[in-house]
Every structure is written in structure tokens, then in C-alpha cells.
Amino acid sequence: MSDISGLTRAEVEARVARGQANRVSSKTSRSIGEIIRANIFTLFNGIIFAAMLLVLITGDWKDAVFGVVIIINTAIGVATEVKSKLALDKLSILIAAQHTVRRDGADVQVSHDEIVLDDVLWVKSGEQVPADGIVLEDYGVELDESMLTGESRTVTKKPGDTVYSGATVVSGSALVRVSAVGEDSYAAKLTAEAKVFTKTRSDINEGINKILRFMIVIVVPLCALLVWSQMRLAGGFYVAVASGAWRQAVVQAVAGIVGLIPEGLVLLTSLNFALAALRLSRQNTLVQELDAVETLARVDALNLDKTGTLTDGGIALDDVVVLGDGRAGGRAGGHADAEVKRALWHVTNEETPNPTATAVQEGLAQEGLASEGVSASMTFDGVQVLTRVPFSSARKWSSVVLRAEQSDSGEARVTRWYFGAPEIVTAALDADSTRVLELVQERAATGARVLVLASVDVSVDVSVDVTDAGSASEEETPHIDPRARVRALIVCSESVREDAEKTLAWFREQGVRARVISGDNPRTVAAIAHKVKLTGDSAPRFLDARELPDTPEEVAKVLENVDVVGRVLPNQKKLIVQALHTQGHTVAMTGDGVNDALALKEADLGIAMGNAAPATKAVAQVVLVDSLFSHLPDVVARGRQVMANMERVASLFLVKTTYSVVISLGVVLLGLNFPYLPRHMTYIGWFTIGTPAFLLALAPNTRRYIPGFLRRVIHVAVPAGLATGLSVLASTLAVPALMGWSDVSAHLTELRTINVTVLFVLGIVMLASIARPLRSWRGWLVAFFACAGVAGAFIPFVAQFFQLHIPSGSSAWVTLGVSVVSVLVWLVIRVVVDRFWPQEDER
């Protein structure tokens, strides 16, 4: 028992008063308030809300129904992200562990937050280290620091060494003086930068925001000009104000402004992102930010953390290579195999086995060699354990003395078996172990973890009981009997995920370059990567991170010829992501440890495993709840479906923006009455843009993402919008002359009916163009919405609400003629554009 007394009660209280307790403000995700604010206060919502407010103040509420899109759009974003937040928070709930500290000379139990600076803390096997500290006394302590460093090997600590919060005690225990608590701890400092929230980059939303910013520049002056032109038509400013005609002038001006804003595209984008997130959630994949769904489609560089992706973090027994008579010759069989495996089972059957011993036990259990509930000192399978030297990370070996009854002679055979690191065990033996070490190196070169099992017959009085034998034969300083001979090689490896090879093959086929970024030995990681065919049949090229340059530009050059990077530090993982960005790559990064947090935040798409540290999950855009790497192809495929389909239908919305600009400018310059009302745009949008676009966006589509989303959309939308705008302006100018109307204001309803018909017809033509090929369900979809739009005009309630009228008499013939001419204009402009401005990328 140590004589270290620890802090007194008064010293603890003084440190608590100074704020030196182990409290950390930890966020697992954005707060609900942050999510709501991010979804409400957007540029799009601001423009639509201002336009809606103008209509509500001056006009009929029916003309303000376009504002409902704000509520729907915001609700979708908030509901989806809050759902992911609640699921993530639930996933991140941990049982509040109690820790043992020594105070006033006695060991007491305290919670994580009650630990203070300079506390004397016990860290024990199976516990997570709650605070940084310096080792005072070591009792064979061994730590797993993979969550902090990325290295999966265990680390031995001696007095004077530092232990870091977040590490897990694998075996043994230690008495530690706490050197840093709360925000000053290593893990907290490592994740401090990662806690800053950054919005995921979205190509679609960036394109929409470019349009919105352009619209803002022209909206205010255009709105003022539209109001002025409509008041002038009503008899001038004073007459319009006196008669109340100014209200209708404002409503008509808003009709032009609303048409400029692709509100349906914003809504459809949010809706499709939400549906994709919902579908992914059914596969235990949480999407924390809706924009991340689009990023999935653009990923062309995937950085994988070895543990949790290629491997499941466990160790597996691969083989037991029996060496016969103890010399490194051929394999033995029969009785020798059985004896070796039985001895191996007993030597690893400790009270608190380390991960390697546990893997051996599980591997032998699959061969039927195990017994439920057998303790480390009991008789099993005709073998009795006499003495045991437990494994120690300092010795790097363990031993057991077994007494076995010989069936042929009836006598007992007593054998001491040694199990441990090859270089340590063989160095203590008299026999030449050169061949054994060669075999070990051959196996180790494949990434395997190789240990040896040696034995020597000993003479022990079999009449003594187990307890006495243990006391009598145990030495103060255990050593290996030099007469022992190596009997077998025990080959273990990290447990490779069954789905890793298939998943990596999918990414190769899709043109996504996958690299493994790990804190482990690069040669070992490369061997595992080769096993799962990271680079197909060719061997992965590996590099030690200590050889990496210091600048992203230089690192980018090196990475072109590297598939595996080992010995990577946390800041180097971030540097690698930055290097890939310099080459224009869209980078996804997987991880589970605190050491991965900065790289996940730097990447375009951070993907955290469900068993990851809370800080890592907090900065990731996607969380694989069940930690299955095999979900990633579905994740990327879903993103590609959304992105490819959204590009297909985005043109529908931008056509409306284009012709709204043309019509608004024409109305101002030519002094015309505005050719339609806001409610007309709402009606036409339902049947030619919004609803059909939503259905088309759900169609299967596996096309890889091609940069240039906005350019391709404009190529389709601008010519169609120009044709539509010119057709409506021509109709507004020509129809009064054709119909012989001397006072256009008296026939405004009839004129608007003709213009709305032109808009509807050209909207259906555009829909048919986008939906191609039409020899499928797509053709039926176009036909359905064409019929539905016409049928709505015959339903009294719908017709009255949206001010729809059926042309009759000469007006019907004029409407038909204008519609046919408009379609011809649309086709001519489309042909001319395709000839002189060909599309660069295939759709």
C-alpha cells in the first residue's frame, strides 16, 4: 500500500473555489436554438418575407400564398436537423463513471467533475482516464491511447510518464497526480478548435445564393420602377393614391419580384435533402446538416482511419503454427497440436486478460476449446494449473505451470509454458532461434502480430495442492528457463471488417480515391490495406508521416503516389486534408477518435463512427450509428441521386426567374400593365415546376457529380426563359390590337388569361424537355400535369381563388394562335443556342 496521502479536504475545497475542478463544457452537436436560427435567418427567407409583407399590407391575402414556402422550408430544415441532433445526443449519453482518488490518506470515490488539480488519482484496468496526470507509482499499467493518437498499440507507462484524459487503461493500474483538468487537459485542447461550427459547403445553395445576391441588386430599383409604371397607368401618383389603385400597383410589382426568386428551388432542395437524410437514418446513418447530403455526391477523395473502418478495433487469432519438437522445422500434428492449443488456452486464461489473450481465447473457443466459468487456477480438460505468472507489459510474457495426467503411463507430466513476444522469449533461450525469428518476420511482414509459445518440462511434487505449489514455485523475479524450446507461433491480426473489401471495391469503381490515414506503423497498415484490396490487386504504396513535408502544396505532390500514410499525428491528418484541397478535391474523412476531430472539421464531409468520441461526432456532418463502414456506398449514392436530379430540375425554376426579369423590364420600358398576378405564378408553378420537379428529383440516378452545376443550369434555363418572356411581352402588345381593344384596362382580365395560358403551355413544354426520355413513366407524368393544370380552370373554387378564366369565342382562337407561335419561338431559340453555345458536359 502506497504511503502517498493525497490532498486534504481543505486543499480540495480551495481548488474548487479557484475553478480548478475537472469540468468541461462539452457539446455533442449544435443546440436547438442554433439550428432554428440557422434555418430562419437566411437570405432567401428575408426576400420572400419582405415581399409577402408588402402584399399583406396593400393587397389581397390570396396573392401572398407564395410566402407559405418560408414556413415549409424552415420547418423541413429545423425538423430534420433537430431529429438528427436528438438521436446524436442520445447516442452520446455516457454513464457517469466514478473514479478513485486518494485524499487524507484514504481512497474515496468521486465523480468525473469532482476531480481537482493535484489530486492523487487511481487509474485502473477498464477505466477511461478522466484527467491528465503524471504517474507516481506503476502497477503494470498499460494504456490504449488510440482515441488521442490514432495508434492502436498499447503504451506502457512508468513513474514520471504523462497519461492523458481520454486514454483507456487496458491492464494493470497506476497512481497518478493530476496535472491538468477541464479545459486545460490534452483532449480538451485538441478539440477546442473543432468546437467552432462551420457550415457545410453546398454547390446548389451557393449557386442559388449567387442568384439571390444578383436579384437583390436589381429587386429594389426594379420594384420601385414597377410600382411607378403601374401607378402611371392608373392615372398618375396622386390619382392612384386617391382612388386606392396604388394597392393594386404594389401587388402587380410584387408579382414581378416574386417571379425573380426561385423559391420553389430552395424548397425542393431542402425537401430532397430531408428525404435523403430520412432514408439514410433508416440505415443507421445520421445526417446532422442537410447540405451534407449534396457534399456526398461531390466526394472524390476519401481518407479512412484504419481502426473502425478497415478493422473493427479488435484482435483476431489467425493461426497457431505448431513447430513439432521445439526446433523450427515442419509442422506437427495430432497430439502435438492438441497439446499446444490446450496449453495456449490455459496460459491465456488469466483473470484479467489483455486484448491479445482475449483474442486467443475467442479463437480457440471457435474450435471448441473452452469451458464456461473455468477460473485461472482450476482443473480443466484433464490439466491442472499449478502456478501462473500473469502477463506484464514490462516483461512482455506470461507463463503457466500445468500438470497433465498421462493416459498411457498413469503418471503426471508437469510442464511450464511461456507465451510472449518472440524477441524477448527467444533471447532468453539456449537454443538457436534464428529460424524461428525468420518465420516470425515472414508473418509480421504481412501485418500480423506474432507471439511464441515455448515449453520446458519441470519437476514438481505432484502431491502438493495448487495453492502450496503456487507459493512454493513462484519467484520474486520471474525469468524464462533457458532450457525451454519454442513449440508454436501464435499469429494474430487486427480483426478486418468483412464488408471492407467490397466497400472499397465500390469506391474504386466510382472513381473515388481512398487512402488510409493512420497513427499505426505504415508497413502494418499497408499490409491490412492490401488484405482488403485498397488498391485492387496491386500492393498499396505507403509512407511514414515523419517524412511528410510541412506545407499543404508539398504534401499534395507526395500524396499523389501514396495510398497509406502511417504514424500520422492529429495536426498532420488536418494537413493532409488541406493538401488535397489545394488540388481541388472534395474530401471526406472518417474517424472515431479525438485525434480525428480537427481533420473531420477541415474536410468537406466529416464522417464519424457511432462509437466515436463525443467531440468527434459533434464536428462530423454524418454519423454512422452502428459504425458499419459498409453504409458509406449508400451514403455517397444517395448524395449523387439528389445532386444529379436537382441539377435536372433546377432549370425549371430558373426559367421562371429569367422570364420574370425579361417581363418586368419590358413592362417598365414599354409602359404595359403587368400581364399576370402573383397567384397566377403560384398556380402555374404547382403544375409545371414544383410538384413535377419534386417527383423527378426522387427518380433513381447514379451519375457521378460533374463540377459546373450553375453553368449547366443556366445553359438550359436562360434561353427558355428568354423565349417565354419575349412571348408574353409580344402577347401583351399584340393581342389588344388583334382583338380591337381601345381600352386595355377594361379587358385586363381577358388579357391576363391569354398570358397565363402562354406561360402554362411553355411551362409544360419545358417540363417535357427536362423530363426526357418521355417513353417511360416520365411521359405519363408530363401528360398528367398538363391535364391537371387545364382541369383546375374548370373547378369553380380553384378558378375563383386563382382568377382563372376559360377563353371563349374569338379570344379562344387568339389564345391558341399565340400559344402555337410561342412554342415555335421557344424551339427556334433552343436550336440557335445549342448550335452556337453547345453544352460542354453531358447531362
Side-chain angles (χ1 to χ4, degrees):
M1 181 71 175
S2 171
D3 57 0
I4 299 176
S5 60
L7 298 177
T8 64
R9 183 174 180 179
E11 289 172 329
V12 171
E13 291 175 351
R15 283 164 173 74
V16 171
R18 291 197 297 266
Q20 294 176 327
N22 196 38
R23 297 186 178 92
V24 181
S25 56
S26 178
K27 291 175 61 177
T28 59
S29 59
R30 285 194 292 167
S31 70
I32 292 178
E34 288 172 333
I35 292 173
I36 293 174
R37 284 194 296 272
N39 281 278
I40 289 179
F41 297 106
T42 65
L43 180 60
F44 164 75
N45 284 356
I47 296 173
I48 294 295
F49 180 76
M52 182 182 69
L53 201 59
L54 273 175
V55 174
L56 289 175
I57 294 172
T58 62
D60 192 331
W61 67 270
K62 296 175 184 177
D63 284 312
V65 291
F66 63 84
V68 175
V69 72
I70 296 178
I71 301 172
I72 300 174
N73 188 54
T74 304
I76 289 171
V78 171
T80 306
E81 293 189 26
V82 167
K83 181 181 178 182
S84 292
K85 170 194 165 48
L86 296 177
L88 183 63
D89 289 349
K90 184 178 180 181
L91 189 69
S92 300
I93 293 174
L94 301 176
I95 299 174
Q98 294 289 306
H99 300 275
T100 304
V101 295
R102 181 166 296 175
R103 293 174 180 173
D104 292 319
D107 291 340
V108 295
Q109 295 286 312
V110 298
S111 68
H112 175 279
D113 291 353
E114 292 175 331
I115 297 170
V116 299
L117 188 67
D118 296 325
D119 246 333
V120 176
L121 170 73
W122 279 104
V123 292
K124 303 176 182 178
S125 179
E127 294 181 350
Q128 191 173 48
V129 179
D132 297 356
I134 306 297
V135 177
L136 300 177
E137 295 181 3
D138 159 47
Y139 301 93
V141 72
E142 199 167 345
L143 301 179
D144 175 4
E145 296 181 338
S146 60
M147 293 293 276
L148 301 173
T149 66
E151 295 191 55
S152 58
R153 66 182 181 86
T154 55
V155 181
T156 303
K157 297 293 184 179
K158 295 297 180 185
D161 290 345
T162 301
V163 297
Y164 296 107
S165 57
T168 302
V169 184
V170 176
S171 62
S173 60
L175 206 56
V176 173
R177 184 177 300 280
V178 175
S179 59
V181 293
E183 303 292 350
D184 295 326
S185 67
Y186 177 80
K189 288 179 179 178
L190 193 62
T191 59
E193 183 181 345
K195 286 184 178 181
V196 180
F197 174 76
T198 54
K199 186 68 175 173
T200 304
R201 177 184 172 273
S202 166
D203 207 8
I204 291 179
N205 285 333
E206 282 188 1
I208 294 173
N209 283 331
K210 285 181 181 178
I211 296 169
L212 293 178
R213 285 193 291 270
F214 173 73
M215 290 300 108
I216 286 177
V217 174
I218 66 173
V219 156
V220 175
L222 187 57
C223 185
L225 287 173
L226 283 171
V227 171
W228 170 79
S229 68
Q230 299 306 297
M231 284 189 173
R232 187 169 63 85
L233 288 173
F237 179 80
Y238 294 106
V239 174
V241 172
S243 65
W246 68 274
R247 288 186 171 85
Q248 190 62 23
V250 171
V251 170
Q252 291 178 356
V254 170
I257 299 306
V258 170
L260 298 176
I261 311 302
E263 77 278 3
L265 179 57
V266 177
L267 175 59
L268 185 62
T269 301
S270 297
L271 192 57
N272 273 278
F273 284 173
L275 287 175
L278 180 61
R279 289 176 176 177
L280 290 172
S281 69
R282 293 171 182 168
Q283 301 176 36
N284 289 319
T285 302
L286 290 181
V287 177
Q288 296 203 77
E289 296 175 42
L290 293 185
D291 290 353
V293 173
E294 180 209 314
T295 310
L296 299 172
R298 298 188 282 110
V299 168
D300 61 358
L302 176 62
N303 291 348
L304 301 170
D305 187 31
K306 172 180 65 66
T307 306
T309 51
L310 304 186
T311 67
D312 58 15
I315 300 174
L317 175 64
D318 283 352
D319 198 6
V320 178
V321 183
V322 182
L323 302 178
D325 59 0
R327 294 182 295 273
R331 289 192 59 165
H335 177 73
D337 282 0
E339 180 189 23
V340 164
K341 290 182 179 179
R342 183 175 60 186
L344 180 61
W345 190 89
H346 281 288
V347 77
T348 55
N349 186 35
E350 298 182 3
E351 293 291 348
T352 56
N354 63 18
T356 303
T358 301
V360 170
Q361 289 277 302
E362 292 174 351
L364 294 175
Q366 293 178 1
E367 299 183 22
L369 186 64
S371 180
E372 193 85 21
V374 176
S375 72
S377 60
M378 291 176 62
T379 300
F380 166 57
D381 197 22
V383 176
Q384 185 179 23
V385 178
L386 298 182
T387 63
R388 177 183 298 279
V389 177
F391 179 82
S392 163
S393 56
R395 287 191 301 270
K396 296 191 181 301
W397 59 268
S398 61
S399 73
V400 67
V401 176
L402 303 178
R403 178 171 62 187
E405 300 294 334
Q406 303 297 302
S407 56
D408 50 352
S409 63
E411 298 180 353
R413 179 186 177 191
V414 181
T415 309
R416 182 181 287 273
W417 295 86
Y418 298 95
F419 175 64
E423 63 275 12
I424 302 298
V425 175
T426 57
L429 305 183
D430 290 338
D432 182 11
S433 301
T434 303
R435 180 54 183 158
V436 172
L437 293 177
E438 288 176 354
L439 292 173
V440 169
Q441 288 302 317
E442 288 177 9
R443 297 288 183 138
T446 67
R449 180 179 299 181
V450 186
L451 299 102
V452 296
L453 184 70
S455 72
V456 61
D457 288 342
V458 296
S459 178
V460 173
D461 183 357
V462 298
S463 63
V464 243
D465 62 26
V466 176
T467 305
D468 291 338
S471 303
S473 61
E474 199 67 76
E475 305 163 48
E476 288 186 7
T477 306
H479 69 279
I480 297 174
D481 192 324
R483 298 171 300 158
R485 297 293 182 267
V486 176
R487 297 289 301 279
L489 304 182
I490 314 304
V491 184
C492 297
S493 67
E494 289 195 66
S495 180
V496 175
R497 288 188 178 275
E498 296 180 359
D499 54 11
E501 183 177 335
K502 182 179 178 181
T503 304
L504 290 171
W506 185 89
F507 279 114
R508 285 199 307 276
E509 293 170 0
Q510 296 298 316
V512 178
R513 175 76 181 275
R515 292 181 178 85
V516 181
I517 312 296
S518 174
D520 280 345
N521 184 293
R523 187 178 297 274
T524 302
V525 180
I528 293 172
H530 189 41
K531 185 182 295 185
V532 297
K533 297 186 177 180
L534 173 71
T535 52
D537 295 327
S538 60
R541 297 159 295 182
F542 60 88
L543 175 74
D544 193 309
R546 288 172 291 189
E547 301 174 19
L548 280 176
D550 296 327
T551 64
E553 292 74 18
E554 292 298 321
V555 172
K557 296 177 183 177
V558 173
L559 288 178
E560 285 301 316
N561 300 311
V562 173
D563 305 299
V564 173
V565 185
R567 303 294 187 201
V568 183
L569 299 173
N571 62 325
Q572 287 180 311
K573 290 187 177 184
K574 179 180 177 180
L575 178 63
I576 289 171
V577 174
Q578 292 173 331
L580 292 171
H581 280 159
T582 65
Q583 301 299 307
H585 293 293
T586 301
V587 185
M589 175 84 193
T590 69
D592 58 358
V594 174
N595 64 298
D596 298 316
L598 294 180
L600 262 66
K601 181 176 181 292
E602 185 70 24
D604 299 282
L605 185 71
I607 304 171
M609 299 298 163
N611 58 357
T616 306
K617 286 184 287 194
V619 300
Q621 286 84 25
V622 175
V623 179
L624 304 180
V625 177
D626 51 11
S627 301
L628 290 182
F629 178 47
S630 56
H631 288 324
L632 283 183
D634 289 333
V635 169
V636 174
R638 187 65 63 192
R640 287 184 172 178
Q641 175 193 2
V642 170
M643 192 65 179
N645 285 334
M646 284 304 302
E647 181 177 316
R648 175 189 286 271
V649 302
S651 302
L652 290 173
F653 296 94
L654 294 189
V655 165
K656 187 187 72 161
T657 297
T658 304
Y659 71 63
S660 294
V661 171
V662 173
I663 292 172
S664 296
L665 289 175
V667 165
V668 171
L669 296 175
L670 301 174
L672 303 175
N673 285 291
F674 206 85
Y676 49 80
L677 296 173
R679 69 186 76 177
H680 292 148
M681 291 303 303
T682 302
Y683 183 83
I684 293 171
W686 281 354
F687 292 104
T688 66
I689 302 177
T691 311
F694 170 72
L695 296 176
L696 288 172
L698 297 179
N701 197 326
T702 58
R703 194 204 73 180
R704 289 174 55 189
Y705 173 74
I706 304 170
F709 162 81
L710 187 58
R711 184 181 67 251
R712 289 191 298 275
V713 169
I714 288 175
H715 177 273
V716 176
V718 170
L722 182 63
T724 304
L726 292 176
S727 296
V728 171
L729 287 175
S731 169
T732 307
L733 286 169
V735 167
L738 290 173
M739 298 294 291
W741 297 335
S742 57
D743 183 6
V744 177
S745 60
H747 299 275
L748 200 54
T749 299
E750 197 172 351
L751 178 59
R752 284 173 176 167
T753 298
I754 295 173
N755 289 331
V756 168
T757 303
V758 171
L759 286 175
F760 179 77
V761 169
L762 292 182
I764 292 296
V765 171
M766 183 63 190
L767 175 61
S769 175
I770 293 295
R772 291 175 300 172
L774 299 178
R775 293 181 180 179
S776 64
W777 62 272
R778 299 174 189 272
W780 290 105
L781 180 139
V782 174
F784 170 80
F785 282 106
C787 295
V790 173
F794 290 90
I795 301 173
F797 169 76
V798 175
Q800 182 180 2
F801 186 92
F802 290 102
Q803 283 197 17
L804 303 175
H805 302 276
I806 307 298
S808 60
S810 58
S811 180
W813 290 107
V814 171
T815 302
L816 178 61
V818 171
S819 298
V820 171
V821 172
S822 298
V823 172
L824 292 175
V825 171
W826 189 94
L827 291 173
V828 169
I829 291 180
R830 184 72 266 171
V831 169
V832 171
V833 169
D834 287 341
R835 180 175 178 82
F836 295 101
W837 184 24
Q839 181 63 282
E840 296 178 7
D841 300 311
E842 289 294 326
R843 289 185 62 79

